[in-house]
Amino acid sequence: MAVPIIVSFTQADSGGVTTTNSLNITAPTGLSAGDMLVIFCGNDQAANTPAQWDDNAFKPAGFTLIHQITTAVADAGVAAFYKYSDGSESGTTITCPAATANDMWASCLHITGVRGIDPVGVIGSNYDASTGVSHSVPGITTLAVNRLVLVCGSGDGADTGPITVSGGNFLTGDNPRAGTSTASVAGVWGYAEQPTAGATGNATVSLNSSDGFSGFMFSLEPAGVPTIVRETFKDSANADYANGTVVYAYNSDGSLFSTGAVGTITGVSSSFPTPLTAGEVAFTQPEGVFNLLFLVVDPSTDTDGLVTNFITPTQLT
């Protein structure tokens, strides 16, 4: 297990043209199936609504929204999306839509070594300021070793660029901007390798001229890391099972998932990494394991044969 690697990236900008609400970017070359594409895009929307990006209409096709900021405070917003490559996207054109027409910028990253399920770890708090040359994007606390932390943001006016990222382990990745006008937009993304678990510290973002800026950071999970998941079990009367109820997991072919029970219901727990509510069990699921079946055994009778489909686990790490 190693920190995910940024292999290459591309960039695009609208060149100061504000008559379109989409921007095309060329995907990096050399992609293989299972590699990750991360797209950052930003614009200089000067209102809180409408949100410029979402996980429905206003996103690159086939991508999943990680997070977005649309803000009238900074008069500039930014979004991040991810997609697992199928190997066919190398050098192709990807369209990045937004809700309204503004100056736009985008970067597309090719990253390897990312976990093949639930790739996003921790998403940090929004940063949003109306003026300043130096801005401090709130850090995050990674839960385990070898995470790749990415930070992104937009400055109100292309003259705020080139924008740089520093502080702690953070380095500047790229800083595209749409022309040089004060009425346009500049973007930036940076990264930090986080080999140990813990706080990243804030990322210091430095603008070329004082103005508004918004941004956020998040972490990507490395390949080979299991997911700690939890599932709630209720009996036929929709009541939580009693403490001491044993839960066994089976693969879809009927074979036992583990050598014994995956967990025992113990009631409410606030301890990390398995904070539990009534009727819940938490256990470790290896990467790439799906569609488990569960047998719940009530110790008072040992006859309850309830089996449920495991479809959407709750990720805890």
Side-chain angles (χ1 to χ4, degrees):
M1 179 179 67
V3 176
I5 297 172
I6 301 171
V7 178
S8 61
F9 60 87
T10 58
Q11 64 162 260
D13 67 79
S14 61
V17 177
T18 62
T19 57
T20 178
N21 64 343
S22 66
L23 179 65
N24 290 335
I25 189 167
T26 302
T29 59
L31 292 165
S32 298
D35 291 353
M36 175 159 287
L37 290 169
V38 169
I39 285 182
F40 299 117
C41 55
N43 67 16
D44 60 343
Q45 166 74 2
N48 290 326
T49 58
Q52 292 298 288
W53 303 276
D54 58 27
D55 208 20
N56 185 19
F58 302 118
K59 69 173 184 176
F63 281 73
T64 298
L65 175 69
I66 298 172
H67 192 61
Q68 74 93 30
I69 302 174
T70 301
T71 169
V73 176
D75 288 348
V78 65
F81 305 87
Y82 78 85
K83 177 187 179 182
Y84 292 107
S85 172
D86 62 11
S88 67
E89 301 91 346
S90 293
T92 61
T93 298
I94 300 173
T95 300
C96 304
T100 57
N102 288 282
D103 298 290
M104 297 181 67
W105 66 272
S107 288
C108 184
L109 284 60
H110 171 198
I111 303 176
T112 60
V114 180
R115 184 166 67 182
I117 180 175
D118 299 321
V120 180
V122 180
I123 300 174
S125 301
N126 290 351
Y127 177 83
D128 186 12
S130 61
T131 189
V133 171
S134 181
H135 299 269
S136 185
V137 178
I140 59 176
T141 298
T142 57
L143 307 179
V145 301
N146 294 329
R147 271 48 179 172
L148 177 66
V149 181
L150 296 171
V151 57
C152 60
S154 289
D156 180 25
D159 62 316
T160 62
I163 305 173
T164 60
V165 179
S166 61
N169 294 329
F170 285 100
L171 298 170
T172 303
D174 196 20
N175 39 30
R177 52 178 175 160
T180 58
S181 167
T182 58
S184 188
V185 66
V188 70
W189 62 267
Y191 64 96
E193 295 185 353
Q194 189 79 353
T196 59
T200 63
N202 294 354
T204 299
V205 176
S206 300
L207 276 56
N208 187 56
S209 61
S210 178
D211 215 321
F213 179 84
S214 70
F216 60 90
M217 71 173 68
F218 61 92
S219 63
L220 292 178
E221 305 289 280
V225 176
T227 303
I228 297 178
V229 298
R230 66 187 189 187
E231 180 74 355
T232 300
F233 299 96
K234 295 182 180 292
D235 62 21
S236 57
N238 201 37
D240 296 322
Y241 280 96
N243 292 351
T245 300
V246 181
V247 179
Y248 295 88
Y250 292 82
N251 298 305
S252 57
D253 63 0
S255 61
L256 193 64
F257 169 68
S258 60
T259 56
V262 295
T264 301
I265 293 174
T266 58
V268 178
S269 168
S270 61
S271 61
F272 185 82
T274 55
L276 301 177
T277 58
E280 283 191 325
V281 167
F283 62 95
T284 299
Q285 174 184 303
E287 181 179 351
V289 174
F290 304 97
N291 300 320
L292 293 178
L293 302 175
F294 293 95
L295 175 65
V296 182
V297 180
D298 187 335
S300 64
T301 63
D302 287 340
T303 60
D304 191 335
L306 177 65
V307 176
T308 98
N309 284 315
F310 185 84
I311 298 174
T312 307
T314 299
Q315 180 185 339
L316 298 182
T317 62

